[in-house]
Amino acid sequence: MESQQSLAPLAREISALPPSLGPVRLVGIDGHAGSGKSTFAGRLAEALGGAPVLHLDDVATHGELFAWPDRLRSQVLEPLAAGRPARWTPYDWVARRFGPEQVLEPAPVLLVEGVGAGRRALRPHLARLLWMETPRAESWGRGRHRDGRELSDFWDGWERAELAHFSDDPSRPFADTLVRQSSTGYEWTSEAGATAGRTASVTEGDGLPRA
């Protein structure tokens, strides 16, 4: 399993950033569906000492795959910007309705992971934007394999929606850090535009990421 210490250099970079949303350093982790965002966010959260993670899958709905910025702003961003706890209602993808209210206290770092975490509506509030540098076809293949044939129709619709979203509102050109995964672990490049910076590596050993 990925050790907590292996992502320590990146965690130190993030912790040293100035707050971007009230007292919070809001960090976006974006990439194609199936690119490994959830797994990476969980490991980075551990390296940050247990930072909370907000999954955008809990904010989106069947009818609003990408039309959720207003809900995120009113339930999460505005309260945290004022230093108050955020109160939000995660969406239940099985029951197709919003679940019980959850409380998210202001924290030094909050990771927001999901497709669209670097969209223009969120970028002004981000301390850093990380992009999972996994090719679209590979990412979608992972996702389809993970979810099985019973969700193939959903994936057909998702792929169309994701293509339309990134065509209108791309995230990668604005990423501060590009994250790649190989057979030996993660590598990341952090610099302005994430195009000319240094590359760091960590080692891991538990296979492909989940989401």
Side-chain angles (χ1 to χ4, degrees):
M1 180 176 291
E2 179 78 12
S3 71
Q4 179 175 333
Q5 294 302 315
S6 61
L7 287 173
L10 182 58
R12 286 195 295 269
E13 287 183 27
I14 290 172
S15 297
L17 296 170
S20 60
L21 184 70
V24 178
R25 294 158 184 83
L26 189 67
V27 175
I29 302 175
D30 206 338
H32 299 293
S35 62
K37 300 178 299 298
S38 295
T39 298
F40 180 76
R43 292 172 181 166
L44 181 57
E46 290 180 5
L48 286 161
V53 181
L54 177 65
H55 303 281
L56 291 178
D57 283 351
D58 293 338
V59 179
T61 70
H62 282 90
E64 298 175 316
L65 293 178
F66 292 100
W68 41 256
D70 288 344
R71 181 164 56 252
L72 182 68
R73 181 174 60 251
S74 63
Q75 294 186 354
V76 177
L77 301 182
E78 290 178 351
L80 292 180
R84 304 192 310 271
R87 299 180 182 275
W88 62 292
T89 52
Y91 183 69
D92 186 326
W93 287 85
V94 176
R96 291 175 174 257
R97 63 174 181 267
F98 291 103
E101 182 180 81
Q102 303 290 315
V103 178
L104 183 63
E105 297 287 343
V109 178
L110 169 61
L111 303 180
V112 178
E113 74 83 17
V115 180
R119 66 192 304 171
R120 64 174 67 95
L122 269 69
R123 285 198 296 272
H125 309 291
L126 296 179
R128 176 166 291 190
L129 173 58
L130 289 74
W131 174 266
M132 302 302 295
E133 190 76 334
T134 306
R136 184 177 65 204
E138 180 181 344
S139 296
W140 287 353
R142 289 178 180 178
R144 283 183 178 270
H145 177 74
R146 177 193 66 206
D147 293 341
R149 293 182 178 179
E150 61 272 18
L151 291 180
S152 61
D153 288 344
F154 173 82
W155 268 94
D156 290 343
W158 172 269
E159 290 177 5
R160 291 191 295 269
E162 185 182 305
L163 279 173
H165 167 71
F166 281 135
S167 176
D168 174 67
D169 193 353
S171 296
R172 189 187 183 282
F174 302 94
D176 307 293
T177 301
L178 302 181
V179 180
R180 299 173 177 85
Q181 188 178 29
S182 69
S183 59
T184 58
Y186 291 108
E187 298 179 347
W188 67 89
T189 305
S190 299
E191 195 72 31
T195 57
R198 68 188 184 280
T199 298
S201 302
V202 299
T203 300
E204 57 142 6
D206 65 342
L208 293 176
R210 278 283 302 162

